[in-house]
Amino acid sequence: MSTLKVQNLSVYIEDKPILNDFSLEIPYGEVHAIMGPNGSGKSTLSKALAAHPNYDIRNGTAELDGHNLIDMEPDEISRAGLFLAFQYPIEVPGVTIANFIRAAIQARMEESKLFKAVDYYKKLYQKMDDLGIDRNFTARSLNDGFSGGEKKRCEILQMAMLDPKFCILDETDSGLDIDALRVVSAGVNSMRSSNRGFLVITHYQRLLDYIVPDKVHVMWEGKIVRSGDKDLASELESKGYDWIKEELAA
Amino acid sequence: MIIDKKNPATTPAFFSEDYFESFASNHSWEPGWLADLRKESWATLQENELVSLKDERWRFSPKSRLGYSHFKSISESSNSINLDPASGSPQNILNTVDNILLDNPDLIADFAEIQGPNLGATQSYHLTNTYFTNGFFLKVSGIQNQKLHLLVNHTCPEERFVTFHKNYVILDDFTEVTLVENFISENVFSQGGLSNLTHFKIGKGAKLNRILIQNMAEGTSFHNLENFDLHADSLVVNVQCHLGANQSRIETKGNLLEPGANFENFSFVSGRGKQLFDQRTEQYHFAPHCSSNLLAKNVLQDEAKSIFAGLIKVDPKAQQTNALQTNRNLLLSRDAEADSLPGLEILANDVSCTHGATTSRLNQEELFYLLSRGIEKKSAESLISLGFLEEIIGKIQDEELTQRIREMVYTHFK
Ligand SMILES: Nc1ncnc2c1ncn2[C@@H]1O[C@H](COP(=O)(O)OP(=O)(O)OP(=O)(O)O)[C@@H](O)[C@H]1O
Ligand SMILES: [Mg+2]
């Protein structure tokens, strides 16, 4: 069974260590959640795996389905099957959602194959309807002037269109209203399958009531310090992080 | 005489007195006023040789690239202009300048006095006035029931020939027209030149929607000089798309002559390789209560270079002027270069004029976002650039045309 396998990863930003000997393994078919205080390195993990140029990986390995992510360019990693739904999606003025997703799909197509616009729009509209995104959004510039929740939905739309092998959702729930949380979670759940893995980063147990994880990890100062089942999320929700801090100190 | 002093052997024949004289005699069928114009222009060319080299109007420009000494000769092909639909109805006339000179030269005579744009390219200007052998003439007179949509193709000659076009556009009062002009080459290997001079007279309440698309072969030279005279309450929306030619000098001047006139001038450049785009513009407010708006956006990759020099000029009596001028440049490579010279010359006190220029590099976060979706770097750059230019392309109200232009820009990155 193939997995996302991260071992002993150390990541620096401008010579400051953020991830520190980080290890995590997620088999396909499973959903893992990472929770952890602000600044503990959750987004750093996700962006480092996606090969953001500001994140300097100095040690460790990261493998997806046999691909060594460490040596790959961001676009290669994406085409290899990793999808990252960003915590803060970037605004790209003048590039419409429709053209953007189209370019991403075309980048995955064999040269000889012909892009079929009709099929593309049919699928796009279907996914937009599922996620409660107005069809007019296809003509809007990517994330440009979108509300926080609209940006998050747009991330999930991209994920649904690109059919990745492994998805990282970085605080996709923050910014979503109550109804949107349900709709987006349903979208994610419909993509759960035995040959796809998920890493869900969140601060709130509420999301994990909808997207029920197989495992929950707690991240602290760039490391996983505790792992458990979904009850760990409830425990954190009621007790906060202090008890973990105390346990670590002890 | 203007010659390449370092390499006089390559001076093209059309700079010689003999050549001009034989040209003039071949054109002796033309009306006398035109013969006079050609003669005066020729004489001015000779005098201009003494103009000092330090000319603000050429600041930042590698002027030698925009000269004429590398051309072999003039191409006088009548195929260099193609009109669609050519028309001779009294409602609107669209024809070649040759045909008008034969059939109805008085139509053009009115233009003999018009000068401009005169933003520095004096050699091109006088050479074109001396040697133009083709061009188009458009006069819109009647109010149309349906939208008038006209197309003019200018073809740059092959090898190292240069063609001079002079064009005339008249919109009578309250008329409206969309004019699309394509500038293309005979073939992709062309190293020819096209020098194009156009006078626009926009009557009271008239509306001109003009789209210029320059996609000539990359070895060519392009000189485009245009002068718009706007009368009361008229509107010009001018959209220029520059993609081709190895070097271009582009001069655009809008004269707001009577109250209520509105001049909207939008342009983009998509430059690659060693392309040079030297753009000079002027929004000249003579009359009160006029507005003008200019937005020039340039995307440059490889070692491409652009120069934008724009001036807003407001006469003392042009109160209540509203004038805007913006130049934005996006550089995709370390060696690309964009120079910007915005300028104001305001002699009235009750006006609102602003100008600004910015040059930026590709936003790395935007790029990463596109890459993280599997889009290859080149495609990502072209998508972002196209997005940057969308503000200009979006001004064209013709979905088919905008789609074609987007494709052209997109392939410019391959
Ligand atoms: N570009 C940067 N320059 C300097 N420090 C940075 C940069 N980006 C992140 N950091 C630091 O790295 C640490 C980890 O940040 P990260 O964004 O990974 O945290 P997080 O766990 O995602 O937090 P949150 O829950 O608030 O999203 C923080 O201390 C942050 O300030
Ligand atoms: Mg974060």
Side-chain angles (χ1 to χ4, degrees):
Chain A
M1 184 60 127
S2 34
T3 51
L4 174 72
K5 199 167 168 186
V6 181
Q7 281 179 308
N8 311 107
L9 198 68
S10 295
V11 178
Y12 287 69
I13 303 172
E14 291 162 3
D15 280 332
K16 184 172 130 199
I18 309 289
L19 291 195
N20 191 344
D21 208 18
F22 178 97
S23 298
L24 177 69
E25 187 169 338
I26 306 174
Y28 277 162
E30 291 194 8
V31 175
H32 288 206
I34 290 188
M35 302 179 80
N38 296 132
S40 56
K42 304 180 296 298
S43 296
T44 301
L45 170 68
S46 56
K47 287 204 201 169
L49 291 177
H52 189 293
N54 291 359
Y55 296 77
D56 179 12
I57 299 178
R58 297 207 183 159
N59 196 23
T61 58
E63 273 177 34
L64 174 71
D65 206 10
H67 296 282
N68 177 6
L69 300 183
I70 307 288
D71 294 333
M72 290 163 71
E73 295 296 325
D75 56 322
E76 294 170 337
I77 290 172
S78 168
R79 293 195 299 274
L82 183 76
F83 183 91
L84 167 58
F86 288 95
Q87 182 176 4
Y88 303 111
I90 297 293
E91 303 190 359
V92 190
V95 178
T96 64
I97 292 186
N99 285 342
F100 172 62
I101 298 178
R102 179 185 158 166
I105 289 175
Q106 279 178 320
R108 289 165 166 74
M109 279 173 31
E110 292 163 38
E111 288 269 337
S112 58
K113 271 200 164 173
L114 209 66
F115 181 85
K116 293 213 176 76
V118 177
D119 296 348
Y120 166 65
Y121 274 99
K122 200 171 149 197
K123 183 173 172 190
L124 182 64
Y125 286 147
Q126 178 64 50
K127 304 285 182 196
M128 291 176 87
D129 292 350
D130 291 349
L131 290 166
I133 302 173
D134 193 303
R135 290 185 178 188
N136 290 331
F137 267 67
T138 51
R140 282 186 62 177
S141 287
L142 191 55
N143 297 323
D144 194 7
F146 285 22
S147 75
E150 286 167 348
K151 284 182 184 168
K152 296 303 177 70
R153 285 189 219 211
C154 181
E155 293 291 290
I156 300 305
L157 173 66
Q158 293 167 40
M159 181 174 94
M161 289 297 288
L162 296 180
D163 206 20
K165 287 188 193 145
F166 199 94
C167 311
I168 303 177
L169 309 184
D170 192 354
E171 294 196 29
T172 299
D173 52 336
S174 58
L176 290 179
D177 66 42
I178 299 158
D179 292 334
L181 185 64
R182 206 175 320 121
V183 170
V184 165
S185 302
V188 172
N189 283 331
S190 74
M191 287 178 71
R192 283 180 82 155
S193 84
S194 60
N195 45 26
R196 183 177 284 133
F198 286 87
L199 174 60
V200 178
I201 297 169
T202 183
H203 286 294
Y204 306 105
Q205 188 218 337
R206 200 184 46 203
L207 176 71
L208 304 180
D209 287 340
Y210 290 112
I211 305 173
V212 181
D214 296 296
K215 278 201 175 121
V216 174
H217 308 277
V218 178
M219 192 154 173
W220 188 278
E221 291 181 352
K223 264 194 190 136
I224 302 283
V225 292
R226 190 174 264 265
S227 299
D229 61 13
K230 71 181 177 52
D231 295 337
L232 180 56
S234 324
E235 203 177 348
L236 289 169
E237 182 89 18
S238 58
K239 300 207 286 192
Y241 289 108
D242 281 354
W243 61 280
I244 289 191
K245 198 170 162 185
E246 281 158 24
E247 278 191 16
L248 285 172
Chain B
M1 183 179 0
I2 300 167
I3 51 166
D4 185 339
K5 295 201 171 76
K6 270 187 238 144
N7 202 356
T10 67
T11 303
F14 56 82
F15 281 113
S16 76
E17 199 69 43
D18 286 352
Y19 187 97
F20 176 68
E21 253 150 45
S22 96
F23 178 92
S25 100
N26 288 341
H27 287 257
S28 52
W29 57 274
E30 290 173 352
W33 60 263
L34 183 52
D36 291 346
L37 175 75
R38 293 192 192 275
K39 226 176 265 160
E40 276 166 37
S41 304
W42 174 251
T44 319
L45 255 180
Q46 316 308 307
E47 289 159 22
N48 271 347
E49 190 203 355
L50 302 170
V51 167
S52 84
L53 284 171
K54 204 164 175 255
D55 185 346
E56 187 62 20
R57 299 175 307 174
W58 285 90
R59 190 144 167 235
F60 294 123
S61 185
K63 196 174 177 180
S64 59
R65 283 182 65 179
L66 292 161
Y68 287 81
S69 55
H70 60 288
F71 294 118
K72 266 201 307 220
S73 190
I74 297 174
S75 165
E76 293 195 30
S77 161
S78 58
N79 295 330
S80 65
I81 286 270
N82 196 297
L83 309 171
D84 182 32
S87 158
S89 83
Q91 296 281 310
N92 67 81
I93 302 169
L94 177 60
N95 215 325
T96 61
V97 166
D98 271 3
N99 285 340
I100 298 293
L101 286 172
L102 278 171
D103 300 337
N104 205 347
D106 291 348
L107 285 174
I108 296 183
D110 292 352
F111 282 88
E113 300 299 310
I114 295 182
Q115 304 278 315
N118 293 340
L119 302 180
T122 47
Q123 190 186 25
S124 307
Y125 181 75
H126 295 300
L127 270 174
T128 307
N129 271 323
T130 305
Y131 284 131
F132 74 92
T133 54
N134 212 345
F136 71 94
F137 176 92
L138 168 65
K139 182 174 162 75
V140 185
S141 307
I143 312 288
Q144 309 292 322
N145 293 328
Q146 67 198 70
K147 291 227 153 122
L148 191 56
H149 195 284
L150 304 170
L151 181 68
V152 177
N153 291 326
H154 302 252
T155 307
C156 177
E158 55 180 349
E159 288 187 59
R160 281 170 30 228
F161 287 94
V162 58
T163 286
F164 297 97
H165 286 177
K166 188 165 179 182
N167 319 293
Y168 304 86
V169 175
I170 310 167
L171 269 65
D172 281 352
D173 295 351
F174 303 108
T175 58
E176 188 173 345
V177 69
T178 297
L179 172 66
V180 179
E181 286 183 68
N182 287 306
F183 292 83
I184 48 182
S185 301
E186 274 185 10
N187 60 55
V188 291
F189 307 109
S190 171
Q191 296 193 3
L194 184 59
S195 289
N196 192 62
L197 169 63
T198 312
H199 287 306
F200 294 86
K201 263 194 193 177
I202 314 299
K204 185 174 167 187
K207 284 187 186 147
L208 172 68
N209 203 344
R210 195 283 191 109
I211 299 127
L212 178 157
I213 305 160
Q214 191 272 102
N215 198 16
M216 288 166 23
E218 286 203 1
T220 59
S221 300
F222 182 52
H223 293 250
N224 185 55
L225 314 177
E226 51 195 48
N227 188 66
F228 295 84
D229 280 352
L230 289 89
H231 292 273
D233 302 316
S234 63
L235 169 67
V236 169
V237 180
N238 187 34
V239 184
Q240 298 193 356
C241 313
H242 296 280
L243 297 112
N246 200 36
Q247 49 267 322
S248 315
R249 169 83 176 196
I250 304 142
E251 295 190 354
T252 311
K253 187 178 179 198
N255 303 300
L256 297 120
L257 302 175
E258 291 171 0
N262 184 2
F263 182 57
E264 306 260 325
N265 194 24
F266 306 106
S267 70
F268 79 73
V269 159
S270 174
R272 67 178 178 192
K274 290 184 186 298
Q275 283 184 294
L276 164 70
F277 297 88
D278 181 0
Q279 312 156 271
R280 314 274 157 164
T281 70
E282 191 170 307
Q283 298 147 260
Y284 196 157
H285 286 258
F286 290 90
H289 300 283
C290 290
S291 52
S292 64
N293 180 19
L294 178 144
L295 177 62
K297 293 188 114 176
N298 303 329
V299 176
L300 304 167
Q301 46 179 328
D302 305 330
E303 294 163 61
K305 176 177 166 78
S306 73
I307 300 145
F308 171 83
L311 183 65
I312 295 176
K313 220 166 153 174
V314 182
D315 265 6
K317 57 186 182 305
Q319 300 294 1
Q320 304 281 318
T321 286
N322 206 326
L324 269 171
Q325 184 201 95
T326 315
N327 168 224
R328 301 214 182 289
N329 305 305
L330 176 62
L331 305 182
L332 301 183
S333 68
R334 191 178 296 268
D335 295 323
E337 184 184 331
D339 292 306
S340 199
L341 282 165
L344 294 175
E345 207 178 292
I346 297 171
L347 300 173
N349 49 26
D350 183 15
V351 299
S352 154
C353 297
T354 51
H355 67 170
T358 55
T359 296
S360 51
R361 305 225 165 240
L362 199 66
N363 181 318
Q364 292 305 307
E365 291 297 327
E366 284 180 26
L367 181 64
F368 175 70
Y369 190 67
L370 269 65
L371 293 176
S372 79
R373 297 308 183 233
I375 300 171
E376 281 162 18
K377 190 156 179 240
K378 262 296 186 207
S379 307
E381 287 182 354
S382 60
L383 268 177
I384 294 171
S385 304
L386 206 52
F388 175 77
L389 299 180
E390 193 54 42
E391 205 180 345
I392 305 295
I393 299 172
K395 303 287 183 195
I396 301 168
Q397 309 286 338
D398 178 335
E399 194 48 45
E400 222 182 287
L401 195 56
T402 51
Q403 208 41 48
R404 211 185 90 212
I405 293 168
R406 287 189 195 108
E407 295 289 330
M408 275 163 59
V409 175
Y410 202 76
T411 51
H412 217 220
F413 281 84
K414 291 288 149 81

